[in-house]
Amino acid sequence: MTKTTIFSAIRIYCEGLSQILSNQDQIEVVEANNSLEDAILKLDQLMPHMILLDMMMPHSCDFAKQVSHLFPQIKIVAIAVPEDEQNIIKCAEAGISGYVAREATIKELINTVITADNGEFCCPPQIAAAVFSKVQNMAREAKDKYLFVSDSQLGSALRDLTRRERQIL
């Protein structure tokens, strides 16, 4: 059973999610809160497996980074992530384990929670596209960086390799 904590800026949204998720056999809601203040202390006491985090809350990304650093075993599922590439990448860098879009159904939310708890990453296709686009850009930049090595730099680098390393290269 997945012990879950819910943080949402909108109290009625938070309470509604709590009631719906509490009716699921696989999920136990241990906290539902509309404030991130003192949340770290509560996490230390409750030790949930999962946090559902409303990304529209002020400082939610910073909170996710802090939780990922202090409690790496706790998975964080982001709810209502603005779907522009910048916000998606910020969430990925913060350690988010899954994404639930604003227009997602309760069934999709439950599936994402269970999937993330099993150590798998779950997100809508448009979010996956943004993450892969960023990875492709980073790979392209790295490739471009190494394509423009001068012959003298390459010769120097080759001299530092062992005979076997040169054979493999």
Side-chain angles (χ1 to χ4, degrees):
M1 181 174 292
T2 303
K3 290 174 59 177
T4 304
T5 299
I6 302 167
F7 292 105
S8 175
I10 304 168
R11 185 179 186 112
I12 194 167
Y13 182 64
C14 189
E15 289 176 4
L17 282 176
S18 177
Q19 287 180 357
I20 291 167
L21 293 176
S22 292
N23 291 328
Q24 302 301 310
D25 292 336
Q26 310 98 314
I27 301 170
E28 174 190 359
V29 177
V30 294
E31 173 82 10
N33 201 317
N34 65 331
S35 172
L36 295 178
E37 294 176 14
D38 302 322
I40 297 296
L41 296 174
K42 288 182 180 183
L43 293 177
D44 199 26
Q45 295 165 359
L46 298 170
M47 288 308 292
H49 305 145
M50 176 77 53
I51 293 174
L52 296 182
L53 181 59
D54 181 352
M55 297 310 290
M56 299 308 292
M57 294 180 77
H59 311 293
S60 57
C61 210
D62 293 333
F63 175 75
K65 284 180 189 175
Q66 190 175 13
V67 169
S68 294
H69 177 72
L70 295 174
F71 305 99
Q73 73 280 9
I74 297 177
K75 307 281 193 280
I76 303 170
V77 170
I79 302 173
V81 178
E83 293 184 10
D84 61 273
E85 187 173 315
Q86 182 180 5
N87 280 309
I88 292 168
I89 299 306
K90 283 172 73 175
C91 286
E93 291 171 346
I96 298 299
S97 301
Y99 295 84
V100 179
R102 293 174 189 222
E103 62 277 346
T105 65
I106 291 296
K107 185 177 180 179
E108 290 169 321
L109 170 67
I110 292 166
N111 181 56
T112 303
V113 168
I114 293 168
T115 300
D117 191 46
N118 290 331
E120 299 173 21
F121 186 80
C122 187
C123 69
Q126 61 272 29
I127 289 179
V131 171
F132 274 96
S133 174
K134 178 67 173 182
V135 170
Q136 288 171 342
N137 288 338
M138 290 169 55
R140 198 173 298 117
E141 288 171 10
K143 184 178 178 183
D144 290 345
K145 180 179 174 182
Y146 293 108
L147 279 179
F148 299 107
V149 175
S150 70
D151 288 341
S152 63
Q153 290 172 319
L154 184 60
S156 173
L158 290 175
R159 280 192 300 273
D160 295 337
L161 297 178
T162 66
R163 180 175 170 231
R164 179 67 180 138
E165 288 170 333
R166 285 192 297 270
Q167 284 177 327
I168 293 169
L169 182 62

